[in-house]
Amino acid sequence: MAPESSGTAARVRLVDIRDTPLDVAEVLDAVGDEAAGGETVFVGRVRDHDGGRDVAALDYSAHPTAMSRLREVCEEVAARHDVRAVAAVHRTGALAIGDIAVVVATSAAHRGQAFDASRDLIDTLKAQVPIWKHQRFTDGVEEWVGTP
């Protein structure tokens, strides 16, 4: 059973969209809680391939509403799961292969709760926050991902 929504905002500890490199330790520190027996973190990196093609680089762009929508997603996930804290940070701008694009983390009394909440957080973020990926492939082809 998920906790009541009255404490949801307090459990959202870090939400940001940045054009500077992301720090995994900062996100993990944000969800630290003495009542948490489990903390999970997901790190999304730029990979060198997609759909069978080699990726050269990519850019992330965020709609002006992306920050408020990211906060809403964090609050929704905190309301759906019995967590102590949630945090999510996404990068924008030009990223190279291996760069960190997104970091999400949750903490909960037990590991299963933290794992479930983190999966929900990254999946919901990817589906609902208007951040778009512009991929450039080594063969010269470009594509936008996540645009309406």
Side-chain angles (χ1 to χ4, degrees):
M1 178 174 179
E4 292 190 29
S5 61
S6 60
T8 298
R11 289 182 281 141
V12 176
R13 305 265 180 88
L14 175 63
V15 178
D16 206 3
I17 298 173
R18 303 177 179 163
D19 61 0
T20 57
L22 305 183
D23 181 359
V24 175
E26 175 195 21
V27 179
L28 192 55
D29 287 347
V31 299
D33 193 291
E34 290 182 1
E39 298 173 341
T40 61
V41 62
F42 171 82
V43 177
R45 292 186 179 269
V46 177
R47 64 182 179 268
D48 66 356
H49 67 281
D50 189 34
R53 297 194 321 230
D54 293 333
V55 173
L58 57 80
D59 297 289
Y60 279 99
S61 301
H63 188 272
T65 63
M67 183 65 174
S68 62
R69 185 64 191 122
L70 180 56
R71 179 166 297 283
E72 290 170 358
V73 164
C74 288
E75 290 173 357
E76 292 165 7
V77 168
R80 283 196 295 266
H81 297 274
D82 190 8
V83 294
R84 301 299 302 173
V86 301
V89 182
H90 205 295
R91 176 105 183 256
T92 57
L95 281 76
I97 303 304
D99 284 350
I100 297 174
V102 62
V103 182
V104 302
T106 64
S107 63
H110 303 284
R111 68 180 176 271
Q113 296 163 324
F115 276 117
D116 292 345
S118 288
R119 177 179 283 281
D120 188 12
L121 181 54
I122 190 60
D123 289 349
T124 306
L125 182 162
K126 297 294 283 180
Q128 296 183 13
V129 177
I131 297 174
W132 308 298
K133 178 169 53 173
H134 180 210
Q135 294 189 113
R136 292 182 304 283
F137 298 97
T138 57
D139 62 5
V141 174
E142 298 181 8
E143 85 177 350
W144 283 92
V145 180
T147 57

